[in-house]
Amino acid sequence: MGELNVEKLIGNPNKGMYLKQLIADIKALELMLENDMFEKDVSRVGVEQEFCLVNEEWEPAKNADQILEKLNEKYFTSELALYNLEINLEPVEFKGECFSELHGKLKELLDQAQKAAEEFDTKLVLTGILPTIRSKHLKLSYMTPVKRYQVLNEAITEVRKNDIELHIKGVDELNLKHDSILYEGCNTSFQAHLQIDPNNFAETYNWAQAIAGPVLSICTNSPLLVGRELWEESRIALFAQSVDTRASTFILNERESRVGFGNDWAEGSVVDFFKDSVIRFRSLLTTDFDTDSLTELEEGNVPKLKALKLHNGTVYKWNRLCYGTTNGKPHMRLENRYLPSGPSTADEIANMMFWVGLMKGRPKEFDNIHTKMDFKDIKSNFFNAARYGMAAQFYWDNKLISSHDLILDHLLPMAYRGLYSMNVAPKDAENYLRMIKHRVRSTNGSRWMVEGFRKLKKEYKTSDALKILTATIYERQQKGYAIDAWQLPRGDEFRVPKENRKIGERMNIKMITAQENDSLELVLSMMRWKDIHHVPILNDHMDLVGLLTWTDVVKYLDRPEDHGETIKNIMQRDLIVVDPATPLEEAQALMQSNKINCLPIVRNNRLIGIVTSKDL
């Protein structure tokens, strides 16, 4: 999609031309399948590596476009956010030392990217969601200035007609409303591709669905978002909600999310699969077309199916079917989109090898998997893996089994058999699958991150803990060890500088607030019980309108004749407030000069945190 000059389809005068091309692409695909034109005598594997860019403070950088100019366009491309880039490796034949070759090439390209990034005081980090991403990094100013991202954002926003609502509940809970799709930019993946035989599509795709949950459980690496502990693989929930075109409604609506696992086993051919996609999801984008695919086919050429690929590029199945061409021959491949970036390149290659080994190692007793397992169990397995990672339990072959036992006793032997059936070098298979085994017996990326974050939180504020955690991830990645060998953060991996600090980095977001019509007696009791000296007061619209301080409370308690007063009458109304971007030193000086011990932090009249003299 990168080279296409895309436009919104909705309201576009050329909509009819696009739909005509889309129908022609479906027909051309059908003809190619009927005439046995697809490449089937070879299997290839490929990789897309997304990675994060961070500045000297370990926060998201804003210079991906500048760094991209220094890199080879053949391998590197932009992503939605200005703090992400992507590497596209050339596919290799699935045999011999293909995985160690991919690993070597991946490290070489990441080194090139790091060298280019250093010119801008920027570093590369491999992680599913960058821990230091905050609300300010989700503004449109952080969107890569490429037309297709702007058009996609406008198209999805226009279909929804409402802001995007984000709600994820894990250990903590996150509720946010946003006016763009930039939340999708938080997700950083390691996308693995496997060329498949289109004549055996349904069987292959259904098996990929069946193993998705167990594979994901050992690979999770995205437990944190804006300082909250959510799912072990929060990308799964975040991505689904960030590009959801379904508006909230009281009317029962069973349309699927554009990002999803599916609602049933696959049936029929690859053509049927793409037809269903066109039926279920309205097209969002269009582009210019030089010729139609049926004409190309009649002239003896392999069509690019530009309209179908454009549509498919806006439907994000976790196991996505893709059409492509190699050496002038069409092929079908399966794209695994649920694997996260990181923790190390070795872990990523191990994840990929585990997956493709299982894809090729399916035992005969699991043929026709759709007749032997309930799809709802398979779907439940996937979301259990996303929520609980290695702690998940799965329904497998109609029995309940832990992730550990399923992987060690059943799936790893299956993966070995699949790799050996493809003549993969035994030393490669043993090297990378050993990492999976060690991970089962120790820790994976998400669990390491959670334990590291909790350890740092005992000594540091959340924002500082997240920076130190990110610095530690980078340091461990540079050493090249797999995650099972990583030590938890010591705390000295990054010394948080005092200069250039913002008040928002020191504020407390867990506050006890009251509304101006609440019972004064109850609020005073709460202040006593919790030894709270400052309570922000909100109106019915949840805007900050006052502050109740312990000084005011003591004065009130000393005057028994006033005990019928309300919060409105005794709260302070003339408040000194600041924006979260206010420099820390400026905020401190403001508190000292005004002799106040509490400073509310607001954005658009909404209270988002407070800082007290104790915090500083």
Side-chain angles (χ1 to χ4, degrees), residues 207-217 261 318-319 336 338 355 378 381-382 385 394 396:
W207 177 244
Q209 295 281 78
I211 64 174
V215 170
L216 177 61
S217 70
F261 189 77
W318 292 114
N319 284 307
N336 180 328
Y338 56 79
W355 175 64
I378 296 304
N381 287 346
F382 182 75
F394 301 121
W396 183 261

Side-chain angles (χ1 to χ4, degrees), residues 100-278:
S100 54
E101 290 172 9
L102 279 173
H103 193 186
K105 185 64 176 178
L106 179 60
K107 289 193 290 186
E108 177 188 325
L109 291 171
L110 284 170
D111 286 343
Q112 289 179 22
Q114 182 61 72
K115 187 176 181 181
E118 285 171 357
E119 297 182 34
F120 303 92
D121 298 319
T122 303
K123 292 183 174 65
L124 275 57
V125 177
L126 304 179
T127 184
I129 296 174
L130 188 65
T132 49
I133 287 176
R134 289 187 282 150
S135 297
K136 71 174 187 178
H137 304 121
L138 300 171
K139 296 178 180 177
L140 284 176
S141 59
Y142 278 87
M143 184 180 287
T144 301
V146 173
K147 185 179 179 181
R148 69 177 182 273
Y149 301 132
Q150 178 188 348
V151 169
L152 182 61
N153 180 58
E154 291 174 356
I156 288 178
T157 303
E158 191 169 326
V159 171
R160 279 188 56 86
K161 296 181 172 59
N162 288 300
D163 286 347
I164 292 168
E165 298 174 22
L166 182 70
H167 178 214
I168 308 175
K169 189 169 185 177
V171 175
D172 298 321
E173 189 169 1
L174 187 66
N175 287 288
L176 293 170
K177 185 176 281 192
H178 205 52
D179 60 358
S180 80
I181 63 170
L182 204 55
Y183 277 112
E184 193 273 319
C186 299
N187 292 310
T188 325
S189 307
F190 182 83
Q191 293 155 14
H193 293 252
L194 174 65
Q195 190 171 329
I196 64 172
D197 181 350
N199 292 333
N200 196 31
F201 157 69
E203 186 83 25
T204 302
Y205 190 84
N206 288 335
W207 177 244
Q209 295 281 78
I211 64 174
V215 170
L216 177 61
S217 70
I218 196 64
C219 304
T220 56
N221 195 39
S222 313
L224 304 173
L225 178 61
V226 293
R228 269 73 157 195
E229 283 184 40
L230 302 173
W231 294 8
E232 294 285 292
E233 191 52 47
S234 302
R235 286 171 48 256
I236 303 303
L238 177 60
F239 194 11
Q241 295 181 44
S242 62
V243 294
D244 197 348
T245 51
R246 300 170 301 172
S248 299
T249 176
F250 288 108
I251 300 171
L252 183 62
N253 186 339
E254 293 188 346
R255 286 185 299 166
E256 292 180 61
S257 165
R258 284 186 175 266
V259 180
F261 189 77
N263 288 327
D264 209 341
W265 296 112
E267 295 179 345
S269 69
V270 295
V271 179
D272 296 319
F273 187 85
F274 283 119
K275 284 178 180 177
D276 284 344
S277 178
V278 172

Side-chain angles (χ1 to χ4, degrees), residues 540-567:
D540 291 339
H541 301 290
M542 306 309 288
D543 293 330
L544 179 67
V545 292
L547 186 69
L548 195 59
T549 73
W550 191 248
T551 304
D552 302 318
V553 170
V554 170
K555 290 178 182 177
Y556 165 77
L557 294 174
D558 289 341
R559 298 197 303 270
E561 67 277 8
D562 294 335
H563 281 195
E565 287 285 10
T566 64
I567 291 177

Side-chain angles (χ1 to χ4, degrees), residues 402-463:
S402 71
S403 168
H404 292 66
D405 291 344
L406 180 57
I407 291 171
L408 291 177
D409 299 340
H410 301 274
L411 300 187
L412 272 173
M414 202 183 294
Y416 274 110
R417 287 195 298 270
L419 295 170
Y420 292 149
S421 73
M422 299 301 293
N423 296 314
V424 169
K427 67 175 184 178
D428 263 19
E430 183 62 33
N431 178 40
Y432 292 109
L433 290 188
R434 188 191 298 119
M435 296 177 193
I436 300 293
K437 184 187 295 185
H438 287 172
R439 212 185 294 165
V440 173
R441 292 171 173 168
S442 56
T443 191
N444 69 356
S446 59
R447 196 63 207 165
W448 179 91
M449 206 178 296
V450 164
E451 291 177 3
F453 182 53
R454 291 177 182 175
K455 178 185 176 184
L456 291 168
K457 280 268 286 180
K458 293 176 182 178
E459 189 175 346
Y460 299 93
K461 284 282 189 180
T462 296
S463 61

